Amino acid sequence: MYDANGTFYKPDRGSTPQPDHIMLSFCGDAKTQIAVTWRTDVSAGDGYVLFSADGENETRTDAVCRVIESDIDVSKFNTARLTGLTPGTTYRYTCGDDRNRSETFTFTTQEEHCERFKFLVIADHQCGMPWERPDYSGVRSMLLDALERDPDVRFILTAGDNCDDGQNELQWNGMFTGMQGIAERLPYMMTTGNHDNRGFRQYLPYPPQGKFYLDHADFFDAQFQYAYPQNGPDGFETENYSFDYGDAHFCIMGINAPEAVADWAYDDLQKTRRTWKLGAYHFPIYPAIPEGQNDDGYPWLRKAIEACDLVFEGHEHSFARTFPIRGDAMFERPSQGTVHLQCGTGSGGRGGNEQKIWHSVFFPQNVPVYAIAEIDGARMTVTTRTADGRTADRFVIDKQRDTIDPPALPPIYCDTRMMYKGSMPQISARGTRCEQKDGVWFAPFAVLAQYIGADVQKTAGKVVVKMFDVTAAFTEGSDIAQTSAGDAPLGAAVYRAGNQLMMPAQAAAAIFDVRCQYVEHNNILDFETAREESPLSPQP
Ligand SMILES: [Fe+2]
Ligand SMILES: [Fe+2]
């Protein structure tokens, strides 16, 4: 950091000659390779790892070293990629230079034939406060307790927001302080979230300015460039990568450049011959935030996401699990779609979210949670636990029997129902029915608009809907809506059914920048928009 005279001084928790931020990661074949990454100050000499298994001579692997100036410090970031390891073997290792060595830690390679293994999943374990010395002790004690309950966990997978601002080293200093004694012995496989690699335009002096300003993960990439497999799409390798463990393939998708990530991820998932295809992507595809959008990366990423059995997601700090979903239709069997698991938060906090129709399980408690996933042949069990050890959710996907247990039947409605961002008008739309005529869906669109909070004025034979910044008048018998932007053709005339007016659903919705599609399997007219503002009309 720099003082008022522009003189550099070492920040609290800054780098020293002694290795810190020590982290294991898979960088290739988990049976024979592992990466060790650590930080020192610039006075440290050439970094290397010394490692040995029982009865073996010590082997030295030199690190790739990069001198990197962060916003507060200048340090050496070292990564040594150990290769030629023996499968199913525990190794002792130290890292550092000739003078300053770490204490001795261990890692264990994957055995040659691995039918059964466990890994731990956390998401959104970011802890921004106190900003000058972020406190990750809560996450740390949750993980230590979790690893005591399940000591046979092989690695940790995250679903993003690993820290509160990835461009700011104060945050990583906090995170790695929390991971001490954990990341040195278990590979720490990070997915990037918006806090990791978009961050703020300027974090210091506090409070930060320009939230999520940055487009790309400069400091994340700088630190972890050699830690993970370099097999992602061109220019976005560090935040996108894939690896195998046992009979599972993990595809880690970053949040930047979804158009580039999409093709890479889809190809990557097509190529694998592993039984389990697991994805990790920070933004939830089926959000629990009431006004949350069906993620804007999804038009590109859909093919890749839908090639996965299960995707670990985060961002909204709620726990939610979907039915198997494909093409926005909800199903019962795992072969019919992808299960989306919103992993909650590893650090607690937030709220205000709701269970949507696509969530078979949801809970809004603001308690820190983590998940233990266990793959055993064709069965995968995912148990989500609260920090104090209570079971929040447990389900088993059985690929052989093609079941999810406990079973959950997705909704299949007798009468076609309207849905907006996963929420359904219940009381207000009772007694009204959507109808299809000559291939066109008609819906009481004003009822949906009213339900989601728009201003709706009904007069004889006419309804005026004010939603977002658009006003539109629909008149019984007319195939034109009068809107604040001029006349909008509806393609078919508005008619009355019971005590409501029925509009051509797609054309009426489009006036408000809302799209509408019919989901046949569930018999739902699905209204969705990329807009995230509330349609609630303000009190004048
Ligand atoms: Fe988050
Ligand atoms: Fe996030």
Side-chain angles (χ1 to χ4, degrees):
M1 296 176 93
Y2 294 90
D3 65 17
N5 300 322
T7 309
F8 181 78
Y9 67 96
K10 272 287 170 187
D12 177 33
R13 292 175 169 174
S15 56
T16 69
Q18 185 64 28
D20 62 7
H21 294 203
I22 303 169
M23 178 187 104
L24 292 174
S25 54
F26 298 126
C27 56
D29 187 341
K31 296 193 291 294
T32 59
Q33 299 175 359
I34 206 158
V36 184
T37 300
W38 71 97
R39 182 185 75 161
T40 61
D41 70 11
V42 291
S43 76
D46 292 342
Y48 56 91
V49 166
L50 292 172
F51 63 98
S52 61
D54 275 349
E56 273 186 10
N57 290 332
E58 204 163 55
T59 304
R60 170 178 168 144
T61 299
D62 290 336
V64 179
C65 174
R66 296 90 67 205
V67 174
I68 296 162
E69 186 166 355
S70 74
D71 59 337
I72 53 164
D73 205 353
V74 54
S75 308
K76 282 185 168 176
F77 289 85
N78 305 274
T79 301
R81 290 174 160 232
L82 318 188
T83 59
L85 306 172
T86 308
T89 303
T90 297
Y91 289 85
R92 289 176 300 279
Y93 77 96
T94 63
C95 62
D97 64 6
D98 292 339
R99 279 163 299 158
N100 294 288
R101 307 290 303 165
S102 70
E103 61 180 282
T104 301
F105 302 107
T106 60
F107 64 81
T108 303
T109 52
Q110 186 209 303
E111 58 272 45
E112 189 66 52
H113 300 288
C114 176
E115 272 270 296
R116 183 174 181 176
F117 68 95
K118 277 181 194 168
F119 58 101
L120 187 152
V121 188
I122 43 171
D124 296 87
H125 42 301
Q126 69 217 82
C127 299
M129 290 292 145
W131 67 266
E132 70 279 24
R133 195 180 168 81
D135 178 12
Y136 280 71
S137 59
V139 182
R140 174 187 176 72
S141 58
M142 178 178 78
L143 289 176
L144 290 173
D145 288 350
L147 294 171
E148 215 171 281
R149 281 181 210 111
D150 289 282
D152 47 351
V153 158
R154 306 286 185 96
F155 60 92
I156 295 173
L157 174 71
T158 82
D161 285 359
N162 302 280
C163 69
D164 208 45
D165 180 9
Q167 287 300 110
N168 175 252
E169 201 171 7
L170 286 173
Q171 301 290 327
W172 292 106
N173 291 343
M175 198 281 288
F176 275 111
T177 303
M179 294 303 287
Q180 261 176 33
I182 299 168
E184 302 97 329
R185 62 183 170 106
L186 291 176
Y188 187 51
M189 307 305 287
M190 285 186 275
T191 303
T192 49
N194 49 313
H195 283 261
D196 298 309
N197 63 8
R198 287 192 191 162
F200 299 83
R201 176 164 41 82
Q202 187 186 317
Y203 197 77
L204 299 173
Y206 203 83
Q209 304 294 315
K211 196 178 181 186
F212 307 146
Y213 171 82
L214 289 170
D215 289 332
H216 197 247
D218 301 344
F219 193 49
F220 185 91
D221 280 13
Q223 291 178 89
F224 308 114
Q225 189 182 354
Y226 297 97
Y228 299 121
Q230 287 286 296
N231 58 1
D234 284 351
F236 299 93
E237 286 91 347
T238 305
E239 59 191 288
N240 299 278
Y241 58 90
S242 67
F243 66 98
D244 292 330
Y245 201 99
D247 202 10
H249 182 71
F250 294 82
C251 182
I252 311 303
M253 291 168 264
I255 55 170
N256 293 308
E259 64 284 5
V261 176
D263 287 342
W264 164 77
Y266 183 69
D267 280 358
D268 177 74
L269 288 155
Q270 291 306 301
K271 275 190 288 199
T272 184
R273 290 163 63 193
R274 308 283 158 157
T275 298
W276 292 95
K277 298 180 183 186
L278 305 175
Y281 180 62
H282 181 62
F283 293 135
I285 306 299
Y286 295 97
I289 288 180
E291 70 281 16
Q293 62 164 304
N294 182 288
D295 175 59
D296 59 359
Y298 199 42
W300 289 285
L301 291 171
R302 180 185 286 268
K303 267 195 346 182
I305 298 267
E306 293 192 350
C308 296
D309 298 298
L310 183 147
V311 179
F312 297 100
E313 297 163 4
H315 189 58
E316 294 185 334
H317 299 210
S318 286
F319 177 85
R321 168 159 66 87
T322 70
F323 296 99
I325 299 187
R326 184 172 296 149
D328 289 341
M330 297 163 274
F331 295 97
E332 178 184 350
R333 299 189 174 280
S335 64
Q336 294 173 302
T338 302
V339 173
H340 300 256
L341 193 71
Q342 264 195 56
C343 301
T345 160
S347 54
R350 193 92 74 92
N353 298 337
E354 62 164 310
Q355 180 159 14
K356 302 290 186 69
I357 201 75
W358 48 59
H359 297 139
S360 60
V361 180
F362 170 84
F363 72 90
Q365 293 182 29
N366 288 330
V367 291
V369 295
Y370 69 94
I372 298 287
E374 179 169 18
I375 287 180
D376 184 3
R379 285 162 59 89
M380 177 175 181
T381 305
V382 183
T383 307
T384 298
R385 291 210 183 92
T386 57
D388 57 6
R390 289 172 293 151
T391 301
D393 179 48
R394 178 186 291 130
F395 66 99
V396 182
I397 300 178
D398 189 321
K399 276 172 115 44
Q400 223 147 42
R401 294 166 55 214
D402 199 16
T403 56
I404 296 178
D405 197 61
L409 295 180
I412 294 176
Y413 291 98
C414 301
D415 293 330
T416 307
R417 302 291 304 269
M418 294 182 291
M419 172 174 90
Y420 179 78
K421 291 181 181 283
S423 301
M424 303 185 107
Q426 304 291 352
I427 291 176
S428 56
R430 190 158 171 82
T432 64
R433 305 163 66 140
C434 304
E435 296 177 314
Q436 197 185 29
K437 293 183 174 179
D438 300 328
V440 176
W441 276 102
F442 289 80
F445 183 74
V447 170
L448 182 76
Q450 198 165 23
Y451 159 71
I452 62 177
D455 183 19
V456 173
Q457 301 290 334
K458 294 174 183 172
T459 51
K462 187 174 173 179
V463 60
V464 179
V465 177
K466 285 187 199 167
M467 188 159 71
F468 303 123
D469 47 6
V470 179
T471 302
F474 301 90
T475 308
E476 188 175 350
S478 171
D479 62 357
I480 303 279
Q482 291 142 338
T483 82
S484 40
D487 285 354
L490 295 171
V494 173
Y495 65 90
R496 175 184 285 266
N499 56 9
Q500 299 297 329
L501 292 184
M502 304 290 286
M503 300 82 167
Q506 268 179 334
I511 294 169
F512 302 93
D513 200 16
V514 172
R515 48 181 203 280
C516 169
Q517 65 157 340
Y518 178 58
V519 180
E520 188 176 2
H521 184 72
N522 310 101
N523 197 15
I524 288 172
L525 272 179
D526 173 13
F527 294 87
E528 176 63 63
T529 175
R531 313 178 76 121
E532 286 196 320
E533 68 261 41
S534 168
L536 186 65
S537 59
Q539 171 67 51

